[in-house]
Amino acid sequence: MATYNRHLRPTMTDIELLRLFATSGEFEHIHVRQEEKMELSKLAARVPIPVKESTDEPSAKVNILLQAYISRLSLDGFVLAADMAFIQQSAARIMRALFEISLKRGWAQLTKLTLAFSNMVSSRVWRSQSPLRQFKGVPEIVARKLERKSDIEWSRYADLPPQDLGELVGVPKMGRTLHRLVHQFPKLEVTAHVQPITRSMLRIELTVTPDFEFDVKVHDYAILFHVFVEDVNGDLTLHHETFTLKSVSAEEEHTIMFSVPILDPLPPQYFVRLISDRWLHSHTVLPISFRHLILPAKFPPPTELLDLQPLPVTSVGNKAFVSLYENRIKEFNPIQTQTFHELFKTDHNCLVCAPAGSGKTVCGEFAILRMFSTESHGKCVYIAPGEDSAELMCEKWKKIFTDLGVTVSKLTGETTPDLKILANSQITISTVQQWDMLSRRWKQRRAVQSVSLFIVDELHLLGGHEGPTMEIIISRMRYMSSQTEGKMRIIGLSASLANAREIGEWMGVASKSLFNFSPKVRPVPLEMYIQSFDGNSFSGRLLAMGKPVYNAVTRHSDSKSVIIFVPSRRQAQLTAIDLMTHGETLGRDAEGKGKNFLGKSVTSRELEGFSNAIKEPALQQVITAGIGFIHEGMIEKDRTCILDLYQNGSLGVLVCPFDMCWKIDDTAHLVIVMGTEYYDGREKRHIDYSIADMLQMMGKASRPLVDSNGKCVIMCHTPKKEHLKKLLYEPLPVESHLDHFLHDHLNSEIVTQTICNMQDAVDYVTWTLLYRRLTKNPNYYNVQGTSNSHLSEYISEMVETVLGDLEESKCSEMTDEGEVSPLNLGMIAAYYYIQYTTVELIASSVTAKTKIRGIMEILSAASEFASLPIRQGEEKSLRILANGLTNKLPGNSLYNDPNIKSLILLQSHFSRKPLSSDLRSDQSKVVGESIKIIQAIVDVISSNGWLKPALAAMELSQMVVQGLWNKDSVLMQIPHFTKDIVDRCESYEGEEPIESVFDILSLDDEVRNDLLRLPDHKMADVAVFCNNYPNIDVSFEVHDADDVTAGDAVQISVQLEREIDEDEMVDGASLGKVSAPLFPKEKNEGWWIIIGDTKRNVLLSLKRVSLQHKQKLKLQFMAPDEAGDYELTLFCMSDSYLGCDQEYSVPLSVAVGDSDDDDDSSDSDDE
C-alpha cells in the first residue's frame, strides 16, 4: 500500500500501471534465475505492452509473466510456470484493490484502466482483441479473422445478419453462432432525465434498457454494472454506484436515480458511463449536455434567530390560556418567542419554517388562541399529512383544550358525518385527502366557508407523495378566501426550506410574517454523525451495521433513551436481537454480567410480568434486556405495552421501521438511522428514504427541558454520504409535482363547475405553487425558458393534454370552442374520490354478464392499489397464498404487481386465511379502500341499466365488510363463530332449523349456550352483533298503478323501518353502526333500493340510503315501451351484512299509450 500511495497518479498509462503492479510487495520474493533469462527475453519480445526494465530485474519478470498469462503464451520452464501461477492468482486481487483505491480518490481514467486490467486478467483477453474471445468455444482462427477486420467497429456487428457475419470470417457455417454470440454480449441502452435541485445539485434519472439476449448459462443469474458520472475532461468521478441486472428482469426497463454536484463554473457537459464489472468492451457512454441548462434562482438567506429574552407562558394573557402551558413549560423557546407577536397579536397569514423538534406545534396553538380571543364562534381546521399524524394530534389537543371547553374532533373520510363534525367542532383535524374531499364543493357547503383559521403542518411534504393534494387544498382555500366575505387566516408550519419566500408569497404571507430559520437553529442542539459503509449488497451492509449500532448506543447514549430506525419490520426484530446478543457478549462487566439497556430503577425480573403478557415471541426475548421493537403489523395491545414501557423509562432502546416515525410521538436522547434505503418490490430495487422522513427521524432526537443536546447517528451507503450531508445540513428546496397529478383535481373542479372552459383551467393553475416555481426552476419542469411565452405555452399544453385525457376516458367532454362539461363517469370519480383511471377501467371492463369474480378482478385492478408496497421476498409468500385461493389466478400473473397482490389479499380476506403482520396491514388498506370503489362500480353499472352485475357488486360489498364468501354460511359473520359452531347449529334438530342470525336470537338460553359453548365475554360480543343485525320492514306502493301507460314515468314510494326494542330507542347514535370485526374502519350501514326486471336483466331505478330508524323514499323510472303485464322486483340490499337482503315482487300492468299525447306532455314538461 505504501508503494501505491507513493506512485499512484490520476493519469497513468498501461505501461506505468503494469510497472507499478510489478513492484507490489506480494512479489518481493520472486527472483530472476539465470536459466530463465533467455526465455524471459523471448517472452518480452512477444508481449503487447513494452517492458522498459532489464529482464534481470524481478519487476520485469513479474510484468512479462502477467502479460504472458493474459496473452495465453506457453512456457517451457516448470519453475517459470509456477511463478506465473503465483502472479496470476494475485493479479486479479491486486488490480481490484487498485480499482477501489482510484475509485475512492475519484480518479476517473485510472478507475476505468484498473477495472479493464482486472477483467483482462480474469478473462485472459486484451482490450485490442475481439470481445467474442470472452465466450467459450470461439475458434482461434475465427477470433483472429475478426481482429483483422479493424475497420469495422464492434458496435456495428449487432446490425449484421448471420450470413454477413459468416462471410466476414470466411466460415459461412459460423454465421448463426457468431450472430447469437454478438447478441448475447451485454449491451445497455441508456437515456437520462436531468433536473436541477439547487444551483449546486443535479438529480439524474437514468432509464436503462437491456439490449441483448440474457442467457443464464453464459451470464449466470446476474450481471453487475458500474455507473460512473465523470466531469467534462473525464478526470474526476463525481458519482459512482452499482447496478445489478438480474435474469428475471432482463427484458424490463430499469430506473436509477442519483444526485451529483454541479461544478462551478458550469461545465459544458458530464458523461455517464455504464461499464460491466466482468465483461470487457461492455461499455455505454451517455453525454449529458448543459448547453440549455437553466439553474434555479439563488435562494434568499434564512431568518436570523434573534437573541431575545424568552417569553414566559403568562404572555398569552388569559388565565385559561396560561393554564394550558404552565404545567408543561415555564417559558417559550427562542423560535416560539420570535414568532409569538405575529402569531398571537396579529391576524396575518404566517409561515414558520424550523427544524423538526423546534416546537412548531406550539406556534400553531398561538394562532388558535388568537382565534379564540378574537372570534367567539371561530373554527379552526388543522391539516396533518397522514392518518397517523392526525390521530396523534387529535389525542394531544383533546387533552390540552378540554379544560377550555373546546371541541376537538377528527374527520372520518365519509362526507355526511364529516360535515356534521365540521359544523359542531371548534378545532377539526383532518388529513390532506379528507379535506380535499370535503372542500371540493365549498360553494355549497357553508361549514367549509365558515372556517376562520386554516393550519397546514409539515408543509415541506409538498415535494412528497401527498404534495400535489396538499398544494391543491391550500390553493383552493386561498381562492375561497378571495371569493367569500369571511376573512380566513392561513398558517403554514414546515421544516427549514430553501425557497420559503415563494411558498410564503403563494400562501399570501407578507415578508414580515415569514420565519424561515436555518436547519442548524434548534432549541436543543443536535450532534450529527454520518457513518458510511461499503459493499454493494443491501443485506450485507445491514449485517455490517450490527456491531457499529451497538457501539453507537454504548458510546453516545449516556444511558439515556435511544430510538433506532431500520428499513423493515423484519430488520427491527433482527436488530433488537443483535443488540441484546452484543450486550451479552461484548458488554460483560467485571462480574461477568452482560450489558442491558434497562432504565435505572428497573430490573429484568420486574419486566418478566410484561414479557409473559406479550404475544410476539421475539419481543418476549428482548424486553428483559431493556430493548423493545414495534411495527405496523403488531397487535395493538403489544405495541401500546412497549410504548408505555419506553415512555416511563423502563426500556432504554426502541427499534422501529422508518415509516413509524410519523406514527409515534416519542423522542429520545439518541436517534440511530440504520440504513437510508428500503426495498421497493414494484421497482425491484432499493430506494432512498425521502428527505422528509429523514428530517422527521432526526427531529426525534430532541427532548426539551430534559437534555441539553440531542445526538443522531446516520449509517448509510458510501456513495450517498455527500448527498445526505448536503441535504441534511442545508435548507430543503421544495418543488411542485402537481403537473403529474393534475387529472383528478381538474376533473373535480369541472364537476363542481369551477372550471367551465380551457381558460378557467389555465387560471386555476395560476393559483398553484407549480405556477410560481415554473419561472424559478424551469428545467425541473422541462420548460426551456423563463419568458411569458415559454410559460403560457407550457401551461396551455399541459392543460390541453390533461383535458384531452379526461375526454378520452369519458369523464368530461370539450367542445371545439374549448367549453368543458362533466360526464357521468367524471361525476362518479369526483363523488367517490377515486382516480379517473379507475372509473375508466370500470366502465371499459364491466358487461351485462359480469359476475362476482369479474367484479372482484376489476376492483383489485383499481389504480388506488398501485401504491401497495411489495417487500423483499414477498413474492414467494404471495405465490404460496395464490395456490390456495378459491378463484385461481391466471398462469402468467406477476407476483410483484400490486394489483395482483390486492386480488390475493381480498380472496384471503374472504377465506379468513392467517397472514404475516406486513400482509395483514396491507390487507387492511385494500379492504378499507374497496368499499368506495365498489360503490362507484355499482353506479357505473346502474348507469348502463344492468341488474345482475349491480346485484353482484352489492354482494361483493357485503363480502368485503364481513370477510366471507357469499357461499359461506351467514352465521360465520357472528364474532367468534367457527366452522364447528356453525356445523352444530346447522345439525340442530329443533322445531325450526338455524339458518340465519335471527334464529340464533330466538333460541332458548340453555340451547344457545349448549350450541355455542363460548365464555361469557365472547357471548357478549355475539349478543352485540345479533342485536345490531338489521331487521328491516319494507313496504311500498306504486302510484296510480291502474293508470300506467307505455313510456310513462312510474313512481313507487318505499318505506323502510328498522325493528328495534324500545330500550334501544334512546341511543340513536348507535343505530346503523355496522358490527364487523374483520373490517378495519368504523362503518355505518348503507342500503341500496332497486327496481329491476330480472327476466330482461334491466335495472330501472336505484337509490342508496343510510337508514337509522325510518326512511321514506321515492323511486322513479320509465314504464316499458311495449304494453303488457310485467313482473318487476323491488330489492332491498345491504352493503354490510350477508343474509339480510329482501326482494318483493312488483306487478305492473302497462297500457297502450297515445304517442301524440306523450309528445305533447313531454313538451309541456320541458317548458
Side-chain angles (χ1 to χ4, degrees), residues 872-910:
Q872 198 156 17
E874 207 167 65
E875 291 175 50
K876 187 179 178 184
S877 308
L878 292 173
R879 189 174 277 106
I880 292 167
L881 276 173
N883 289 336
L885 293 181
T886 305
N887 296 333
K888 298 296 179 190
L889 299 182
N892 59 351
S893 298
L894 296 172
Y895 292 96
N896 67 332
D897 181 349
N899 296 108
I900 293 292
K901 177 178 176 177
S902 63
L903 180 56
I904 293 170
L905 292 178
L906 268 178
Q907 292 205 47
S908 302
H909 175 63
F910 302 146

Side-chain angles (χ1 to χ4, degrees), residues 417-438:
D418 281 353
L419 285 170
K420 290 179 183 174
I421 290 170
L422 184 60
N424 298 328
S425 306
Q426 288 155 291
I427 299 177
T428 304
I429 294 169
S430 168
T431 65
V432 172
Q433 290 190 337
Q434 286 167 354
W435 189 252
D436 181 29
M437 196 192 310
L438 203 63

Side-chain angles (χ1 to χ4, degrees), residues 107 130 354 450 507 630 662 673 704 730 768 846 941 955 1048 1137:
W107 294 343
S130 169
S450 65
M507 292 175 66
I630 57 170
W662 299 99
V673 181
E730 294 180 10
T768 64
V846 172
I941 294 170
E955 274 194 66
D1048 265 3
Y1137 292 105

Side-chain angles (χ1 to χ4, degrees), residues 199-253:
R199 292 185 72 82
S200 59
M201 193 193 302
L202 198 68
R203 180 191 290 153
I204 298 177
E205 183 179 324
L206 294 183
T207 304
V208 180
T209 311
D211 188 22
F212 66 100
E213 295 169 12
F214 202 110
D215 187 345
V216 174
K217 293 176 184 174
V218 176
H219 307 106
D220 212 343
Y221 288 96
I223 305 176
L224 183 70
F225 289 89
H226 295 275
V227 182
F228 299 102
V229 181
E230 299 172 1
D231 68 347
V232 64
N233 300 317
D235 296 334
L236 285 175
T237 302
L238 301 171
H239 178 81
H240 166 259
E241 66 178 74
T242 55
F243 160 66
T244 304
L245 179 66
K246 296 181 180 176
S247 58
V248 289
S249 55
E251 295 179 3
E252 300 170 11
E253 274 191 358

Side-chain angles (χ1 to χ4, degrees), residues 136-372:
K136 293 176 184 176
V138 175
E140 180 71 20
I141 188 169
V142 172
R144 286 189 178 177
K145 283 186 177 181
L146 286 170
E147 284 154 11
R148 288 194 199 107
K149 308 285 182 181
S150 56
D151 55 325
I152 301 176
E153 290 182 17
W154 167 244
S155 58
R156 288 182 56 199
Y157 279 75
D159 302 327
L160 297 175
Q163 299 89 336
D164 291 0
L165 283 169
E167 289 173 18
L168 194 68
V169 296
V171 186
K173 289 182 180 178
M174 283 294 292
R176 283 190 177 181
T177 305
L178 287 175
H179 187 267
R180 175 173 54 80
L181 295 179
V182 166
H183 284 84
Q184 283 181 345
F185 189 80
K187 180 185 171 190
L188 301 176
E189 297 275 335
V190 185
T191 58
H193 178 55
V194 177
Q195 290 178 307
I197 304 298
T198 65
R199 292 185 72 82
S200 59
M201 193 193 302
L202 198 68
R203 180 191 290 153
I204 298 177
E205 183 179 324
L206 294 183
T207 304
V208 180
T209 311
D211 188 22
F212 66 100
E213 295 169 12
F214 202 110
D215 187 345
V216 174
K217 293 176 184 174
V218 176
H219 307 106
D220 212 343
Y221 288 96
I223 305 176
L224 183 70
F225 289 89
H226 295 275
V227 182
F228 299 102
V229 181
E230 299 172 1
D231 68 347
V232 64
N233 300 317
D235 296 334
L236 285 175
T237 302
L238 301 171
H239 178 81
H240 166 259
E241 66 178 74
T242 55
F243 160 66
T244 304
L245 179 66
K246 296 181 180 176
S247 58
V248 289
S249 55
E251 295 179 3
E252 300 170 11
E253 274 191 358
H254 301 265
T255 304
I256 307 171
M257 287 185 73
F258 50 84
S259 299
V260 293
I262 300 174
L263 301 177
D264 194 20
L266 184 68
Q269 62 186 14
Y270 281 170
F271 290 100
V272 175
R273 297 181 190 272
L274 274 82
I275 305 177
S276 170
D277 187 60
R278 295 291 174 202
W279 291 77
L280 275 171
H281 296 284
S282 177
H283 184 172
T284 307
V285 185
L286 179 71
I288 296 177
S289 173
F290 296 154
R291 182 184 297 174
H292 302 295
L293 184 71
I294 304 170
L295 292 178
K298 284 189 176 179
F299 299 124
T303 306
E304 185 183 349
L305 185 66
L306 305 176
D307 188 13
L308 301 173
Q309 182 71 31
L311 288 174
V313 292
T314 51
S315 306
V316 292
N318 188 319
K319 282 185 180 180
F321 294 173
V322 173
S323 66
L324 301 179
Y325 298 107
E326 60 187 0
N327 295 329
R328 291 190 287 158
I329 49 177
K330 292 179 181 176
E331 57 186 28
F332 298 120
N333 71 34
I335 288 171
Q336 292 161 355
T337 299
Q338 192 165 332
T339 57
F340 179 79
H341 181 271
E342 279 298 312
L343 289 165
F344 188 72
K345 300 288 186 181
T346 72
D347 290 319
H348 301 150
N349 290 355
C350 290
L351 175 59
V352 180
C353 306
S358 301
K360 295 190 293 291
T361 306
V362 173
C363 295
E365 289 167 11
F366 289 159
I368 294 173
L369 297 179
R370 167 72 182 181
M371 180 191 77
F372 288 150

Side-chain angles (χ1 to χ4, degrees), residues 512-713:
K512 67 174 184 177
S513 303
L514 171 62
F515 302 92
N516 182 31
F517 298 102
S518 164
K520 295 165 188 168
V521 173
R522 293 173 183 267
V524 179
L526 182 68
E527 295 175 24
M528 202 186 317
Y529 306 89
I530 300 181
Q531 197 172 343
S532 61
F533 291 79
D534 292 323
N536 298 325
S537 165
F538 174 73
S539 51
R541 286 197 303 275
L542 285 177
L543 207 60
M545 289 174 190
K547 194 172 176 184
V549 165
Y550 171 77
N551 292 335
V553 171
T554 52
R555 186 181 304 126
H556 297 299
S557 71
D558 305 326
S559 299
K560 296 177 182 175
S561 58
V562 182
I563 297 179
I564 302 172
F565 290 105
V566 295
S568 64
R569 175 193 65 81
R570 184 170 172 271
Q571 191 60 45
Q573 184 176 315
L574 292 174
T575 302
I577 294 169
D578 280 353
L579 267 179
M580 181 183 72
T581 309
H582 286 313
E584 288 173 356
T585 54
L586 303 174
R588 291 190 178 277
D589 56 18
E591 298 175 11
K593 289 183 180 178
K595 179 178 174 60
N596 64 43
F597 303 93
L598 295 166
K600 290 178 182 175
S601 57
V602 185
T603 64
S604 298
R605 188 162 291 178
E606 288 175 38
L607 286 180
E608 281 177 6
F610 292 102
S611 173
N612 295 332
I614 285 170
K615 293 194 175 178
E616 197 148 338
L619 200 51
Q620 290 175 345
Q621 279 184 305
V622 298
I623 193 174
T624 51
I627 303 164
F629 65 85
I630 57 170
H631 53 80
E632 204 171 351
M634 188 180 272
I635 300 166
E636 190 64 35
K637 190 179 172 186
D638 284 5
R639 192 194 307 182
T640 308
C641 175
I642 294 298
L643 288 175
D644 288 346
L645 288 172
Y646 175 77
Q647 285 160 4
N648 65 31
S650 300
L651 300 180
V653 178
L654 180 67
V655 189
C656 56
F658 75 98
D659 52 358
M660 291 289 289
C661 66
W662 299 99
K663 300 168 187 178
I664 57 172
D665 206 19
D666 302 278
T667 54
H669 172 69
L670 169 66
V671 166
I672 300 175
V673 181
M674 186 180 173
T676 59
E677 303 162 287
Y678 68 97
Y679 182 76
D680 187 331
R682 287 167 297 150
E683 300 271 349
K684 291 191 175 176
R685 64 190 178 101
H686 291 93
I687 291 176
D688 292 338
Y689 296 167
S690 73
I691 192 64
D693 288 341
M694 292 294 295
L695 295 172
Q696 183 73 5
M697 287 185 266
M698 286 166 56
K700 297 291 179 188
S702 169
R703 298 194 301 173
L705 307 179
V706 178
D707 294 327
S708 58
N709 69 333
K711 294 180 182 179
C712 180
V713 177

Side-chain angles (χ1 to χ4, degrees), residues 1111-1151:
Q1111 181 90 23
K1112 283 185 179 180
L1113 60 137
K1114 290 182 180 178
L1115 295 173
Q1116 283 191 327
F1117 60 93
M1118 301 306 291
D1121 293 334
E1122 293 181 12
D1125 292 334
Y1126 291 87
E1127 196 69 32
L1128 305 182
T1129 309
L1130 172 70
F1131 295 91
C1132 177
M1133 301 286 292
S1134 170
D1135 71 346
S1136 305
Y1137 292 105
L1138 289 155
C1140 63
D1141 303 330
Q1142 300 179 44
E1143 57 181 85
Y1144 298 90
S1145 178
V1146 181
L1148 189 70
S1149 296
V1150 180

